């Protein structure tokens, strides 16, 4: 079983990714931390229902790894945008073995009291033009969303748009049951998230 865990907005800089989130939702993100293994850093926003939002970018002060970074960050171009959705599993091996498409190989990671595994393709690019959910398994007692103050923002709908959206939906159907996640056929791969916020209904793309 897969459970929606968090969303990621990528930018050329973490400031650019953060600005997009804050302008779209009308709230402020909080400091996150560094990911030494991939040379990235982030800022975070707690969402309702145990979710959170992550603004992520390459850390200019970190050494460049000799392997591709996660979320296809080495190849990203253009303005900051919502690029990834991440689903957690209680058993990474079982989840990866049961999916018809490869979501990558498990990479052990940690930061402070947090420890987790993330499935990352060897080239950094997830299937379906990076719109297949990234898989995560937490190995710590406290989930990051529980460490963040409430922002007053709640995810209402996540739309995954892709030319082959029905194939992706069919592949995930036995593993993911979440009425908030919708799949739409579109010539341009993209993610769109709708939120209830203190300022009303807002959209992040």
């Amino acid at each position: 079983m897969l459970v929606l865990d968090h969303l990621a907005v990528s930018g050329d800089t973490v400031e650019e990714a953060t600005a997009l989130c804050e302008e779209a939702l009308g709230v402020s993100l909080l400091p996150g931390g560094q990911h030494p293994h991939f040379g990235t850093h982030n800022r975070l926003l707690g969402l309702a229902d145990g979710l959170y939002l992550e603004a992520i970018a390459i850390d200019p002060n970190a050494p460049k790894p000799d392997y591709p970074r996660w979320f296809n960050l080495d190849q990203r171009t253009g303005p900051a945008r919502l690029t990834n959705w991440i689903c957690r599993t209680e058993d990474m091996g079982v989840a990866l073995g049961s999916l018809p498409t490869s979501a990558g190989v498990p990479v052990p990671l940690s930061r402070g009291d947090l420890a987790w595994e993330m499935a990352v393709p060897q080239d950094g690019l997830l299937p379906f033009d990076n719109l297949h959910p990234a898989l995560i398994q937490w190995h710590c007692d406290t989930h990051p969303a529980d460490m963040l103050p409430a922002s007053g923002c709640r995810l209402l709908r996540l739309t995954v748009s892709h030319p082959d959206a029905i194939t992706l939906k069919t592949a995930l159907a036995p593993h993911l049951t979440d009425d908030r996640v919708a799949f739409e056929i579109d010539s341009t791969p993209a993610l769109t998230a709708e939120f209830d916020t203190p300022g009303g209904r807002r959209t992040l793309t």
Side-chain angles (χ1 to χ4, degrees):
M1 180 65 69
L2 301 180
V3 178
L4 186 60
D5 190 83
H6 66 281
L7 306 177
V9 169
S10 302
D12 286 342
T13 67
V14 73
E15 290 80 12
E16 180 185 343
T18 298
L20 175 67
C21 297
E22 294 182 343
E23 290 168 7
L25 303 183
V27 295
S28 298
L29 272 65
L30 298 176
Q34 287 73 38
H35 313 112
H37 182 82
F38 286 110
T40 59
H41 57 170
N42 67 3
R43 292 181 185 167
L44 304 170
L45 180 72
L47 303 173
D49 306 315
L51 303 178
Y52 68 98
L53 178 65
E54 171 183 36
I56 189 168
I58 293 173
D59 184 349
N61 298 316
K64 181 179 180 180
D66 56 5
Y67 41 81
R69 293 178 172 93
W70 51 4
F71 300 143
N72 201 39
L73 285 174
D74 292 305
Q75 305 301 322
R76 76 161 307 278
T77 58
R81 59 186 176 87
L82 180 61
T83 53
N84 294 90
W85 56 305
I86 298 88
C87 291
R88 67 177 176 270
T89 175
E90 297 299 320
D91 192 317
M92 181 68 77
V94 170
L96 289 174
S98 61
L99 290 170
T101 55
S102 175
V105 296
V107 178
L109 301 161
S110 64
R111 185 176 76 239
D113 294 333
L114 298 175
W116 70 100
E117 285 180 287
M118 180 78 84
V120 182
Q122 292 186 342
D123 63 356
L125 179 67
L126 287 156
F128 293 89
D129 299 293
N130 212 39
L131 293 190
H132 190 286
L135 303 189
I136 191 169
Q137 181 177 0
W138 293 100
H139 297 291
C140 47
D141 294 332
T142 304
H143 187 269
D146 298 328
M147 303 167 65
L148 296 166
S151 65
C153 297
R154 179 188 301 274
L155 177 69
L156 300 175
R157 184 179 179 89
L158 174 67
T159 302
V160 183
S161 302
H162 191 274
D164 207 10
I166 301 306
T167 300
L168 178 57
K169 178 181 180 180
T170 301
L172 295 175
H175 314 283
L176 176 69
T177 303
D178 193 321
D179 292 339
R180 295 169 297 183
V181 181
F183 298 85
E184 293 186 356
I185 297 174
D186 196 291
S187 59
T188 303
L191 294 176
T192 302
E194 299 174 50
F195 295 88
D196 183 23
T197 77
R201 194 176 183 116
R202 302 286 187 92
T203 300
L204 177 63
T205 58

